[in-house]
Amino acid sequence: MATDQTMHGVPPSLSARVVGSFAYLTVRDRLPTILTKVVDTIHRNKNKFFEEYGEVGIQAEKQAISLLSKLRNELQTDKPVLALTDGLPDTDSWNQYLERQQRLQGDQEPVSWFKSPWLYVECYMYRRIHEALLLNPPISDFDVFNEGKTQSFTESSQAVMSLCTYLEGIKNNIDELSKNPLFEHFSKLMQVSLWGNKCDLSISAGQENSQKTSPLDSLYSLLPFILVDDTKRVWSALISAQRPRESGKNNADRVDIVLDNAGFELVTDLVLADFLVSSGLARQIHFHGKSIPWFVSDVTAKDFQWTIRQAMATNHKWVSKCGVQWQRYLKEGMWCYHDHPFWTQPHEFCDMAADAPDLYTTLQGADLVLFKGDLNYRKLTGDRDWEHTVSFETALRGFGPATLCSLRTLKANIQVGLQPGQGEKLTSQDPSWMTSGKYAVIQFHNPKSE
């Protein structure tokens, strides 16, 4: 069905309309599985709610479960998407977005789970999970995904140790490093942060998904699976943004990291950020996380602080040293954490300048913005049915607050910026290449030079 967007040469959004497509299987199978796990988690914490809040806690637990069971039924029977009723600051924006979708879809059918853009309905499900808890105080603040996130961190302890040990080894003689070895370390830590994105609990529908071995040991063998590698362009952008400082150091002013998953992936991002600051490549790092529990394992402010506290308290010399250093960076303002409601809304990023101008202005202050993970990639490219050879720049549709780079392992059937024939060859060798998390990209865009 043509919408007003397909007419301008922009392909339609991916949706569950196509039976057997990855979007269809996600909406049919994965999303109900996640909802079932959420219901189970709330139910298992019944005693905790009773201990903390008495009978009112039990009532809240029952009502939240009832709302979530209703949600699961709506999803599975392709009912119309409903307006939100919880009165949060972002409620109006969500309800306006629903109206926008209805206008795009026309009057013939209501916006519903299987007939509307997959990106929209998947984001909407997580916002409805949040609503089910919000409407039921006193358990409104309960993070239904917290257990999985903390488990991902603790079960990755060996990998965390080896990574922090590697970082401390670099930092011991960082001032003596010439450009080439510095680039080698930068490249390695970019790859570690890239492959850290494999540990995604929403793709495994909440199944345990931690990093057991040292990620550094497998980097060489993973190189062939990086389909686009713009690391050198990212490095050049950082080097060309260097400015002299009073400290006598030359460095870029600011790198922003738009975070994805908590657990091991967050540690890989913190290690990369530490390297950027301690090597003098950047003066300041701004992290952007989610303001509510999101896509099972995404980072919230609580997860961010918890991870740093856990590192500090770890009985391992280099991990605790890293934790102490990270806390210091935050205290001294060299690192800061932000969240913004836009990150937990369904908008494509090309809408950011219009729908969240304050956030767009914030990102414009960065010399480089790193976007982590699959969901950010889907929003960067509008989650549309682009040809694989369409350039990354074209798919961004004008989004370019600053020089940016996407670090993403592929877990959704969209990928742009490939060479002619590359996508077809991959499809013939490995039909699930776009969704297995086995392949990855480091894709760069400089709005000023392209």
Side-chain angles (χ1 to χ4, degrees):
M1 180 188 70
T3 66
D4 63 355
Q5 287 169 304
T6 38
M7 294 170 196
H8 298 100
V10 175
S13 305
L14 297 171
S15 84
R17 279 175 189 277
V18 183
V19 175
S21 68
F22 189 66
Y24 172 82
L25 296 172
T26 297
V27 176
R28 190 194 70 181
D29 301 334
R30 218 169 75 217
L31 300 189
T33 303
I34 288 167
L35 277 173
T36 302
K37 280 191 156 55
V38 168
V39 167
D40 179 55
T41 301
I42 293 171
H43 187 62
R44 275 191 293 106
N45 281 275
K46 189 174 167 174
N47 292 344
K48 178 183 172 226
F49 299 144
F50 181 68
E51 282 164 24
E52 287 182 23
Y53 311 115
E55 202 50 50
V56 67
I58 296 292
Q59 274 309 107
E61 175 254 356
K62 278 189 185 140
Q63 284 165 325
I65 285 177
S66 161
L67 287 176
L68 290 165
S69 302
K70 179 177 170 286
L71 173 63
R72 186 173 54 199
N73 180 262
E74 289 168 24
L75 188 166
Q76 290 179 305
T77 54
D78 195 25
K79 291 283 187 298
V81 166
L82 305 174
L84 296 171
T85 61
D86 54 19
L88 271 189
D90 69 342
T91 304
D92 285 348
S93 161
W94 272 95
N95 292 342
Q96 285 159 12
Y97 197 88
L98 170 57
E99 288 165 18
R100 191 192 297 186
Q101 280 304 322
Q102 190 60 69
R103 282 196 303 275
L104 283 175
Q105 221 163 281
D107 302 327
Q108 299 91 333
E109 53 190 16
V111 171
S112 71
W113 290 88
F114 282 83
K115 297 188 189 76
S116 304
W118 166 32
L119 178 66
Y120 171 51
V121 296
E122 192 168 12
C123 289
Y124 172 78
M125 180 189 84
Y126 287 98
R127 183 59 180 80
R128 280 280 298 274
I129 292 171
H130 188 58
E131 180 183 58
L133 286 148
L134 265 181
L135 293 174
N136 287 295
I139 65 167
S140 310
D141 283 344
F142 181 67
D143 181 351
V144 291
F145 303 125
N146 185 57
E147 289 170 17
K149 291 186 279 196
T150 54
Q151 188 184 357
S152 164
F153 177 87
T154 36
E155 294 189 348
S156 304
S157 58
Q158 286 302 117
V160 171
M161 285 177 207
S162 67
L163 202 48
C164 291
T165 305
Y166 174 73
L167 177 65
E168 290 304 323
I170 303 172
K171 284 165 76 170
N172 277 340
N173 63 346
I174 205 145
D175 294 333
E176 282 84 71
L177 288 179
S178 60
K179 228 173 199 179
N180 284 352
L182 202 59
F183 171 72
E184 289 308 315
H185 290 308
F186 170 76
S187 179
K188 268 188 183 175
L189 290 175
M190 284 278 281
Q191 286 171 45
V192 167
S193 176
L194 170 71
W195 293 115
N197 184 240
K198 270 170 124 62
C199 306
D200 181 334
L201 292 172
S202 74
I203 199 75
S204 61
Q207 295 295 326
E208 182 276 312
N209 198 359
S210 53
Q211 173 77 28
K212 298 283 194 285
T213 56
S214 167
L216 293 151
D217 297 343
S218 43
L219 291 183
Y220 184 73
S221 61
L222 288 169
L223 278 175
F225 299 97
I226 302 178
L227 304 177
V228 178
D229 186 355
D230 287 337
T231 306
K232 284 184 176 151
R233 296 176 69 195
V234 181
W235 171 259
S236 299
L238 269 179
I239 296 300
S240 63
Q242 303 279 300
R243 299 189 272 286
R245 303 271 160 221
E246 290 159 26
S247 61
K249 269 189 172 179
N250 283 352
N251 45 28
D253 192 47
R254 190 177 116 203
V255 172
D256 284 30
I257 302 178
V258 182
L259 299 165
D260 191 17
N261 299 302
F264 179 69
E265 181 176 358
L266 176 57
V267 176
T268 67
D269 300 334
L270 297 174
V271 165
L272 175 62
D274 190 344
F275 170 77
L276 291 172
V277 169
S278 54
S279 64
L281 284 167
R283 188 178 67 85
Q284 206 182 33
I285 310 287
H286 286 218
F287 296 94
H288 300 268
K290 306 295 193 295
S291 48
I292 61 173
W294 195 247
F295 273 65
V296 185
S297 45
D298 282 20
V299 178
T300 63
K302 238 182 223 169
D303 302 322
F304 190 82
Q305 289 148 5
W306 180 87
T307 304
I308 292 175
R309 282 200 310 274
Q310 285 299 113
M312 288 169 75
T314 302
N315 188 16
H316 181 276
K317 186 180 177 183
W318 303 124
V319 178
S320 60
K321 189 175 178 195
C322 282
V324 169
Q325 179 63 66
W326 299 340
Q327 193 66 47
R328 190 180 301 137
Y329 286 146
L330 285 168
K331 208 175 153 195
E332 292 171 2
M334 291 162 85
W335 282 11
C336 44
Y337 175 92
H338 314 263
D339 47 37
H340 188 287
F342 186 82
W343 302 123
T344 49
Q345 288 176 345
H347 305 68
E348 305 171 37
F349 288 163
C350 64
D351 294 338
M352 189 191 287
D355 291 331
D358 57 330
L359 179 60
Y360 196 82
T361 304
T362 298
L363 296 181
Q364 284 178 315
D367 291 296
L368 171 70
V369 185
L370 297 175
F371 286 90
K372 289 300 306 286
D374 202 66
L375 179 60
N376 279 323
Y377 192 86
R378 288 169 62 191
K379 288 182 168 189
L380 282 164
T381 57
D383 207 39
R384 294 175 177 278
D385 197 9
W386 296 104
E387 296 286 335
H388 298 317
T389 49
V390 161
S391 72
F392 187 39
E393 182 193 4
T394 300
L396 289 170
R397 294 171 70 214
F399 178 71
T403 300
L404 61 91
C405 173
S406 168
L407 297 172
R408 174 232 188 180
T409 61
L410 279 62
K411 302 172 202 136
N413 51 346
I414 171 166
Q415 181 56 54
V416 297
L418 297 186
Q419 297 302 314
Q422 196 179 1
E424 291 79 358
K425 189 179 174 191
L426 284 159
T427 303
S428 67
Q429 290 169 345
D430 181 355
S432 67
W433 67 277
M434 276 193 282
T435 55
S436 63
K438 186 176 162 186
Y439 293 89
V441 291
I442 298 174
Q443 267 179 312
F444 176 84
H445 169 60
N446 181 348
K448 293 184 187 77
S449 71
E450 292 174 22

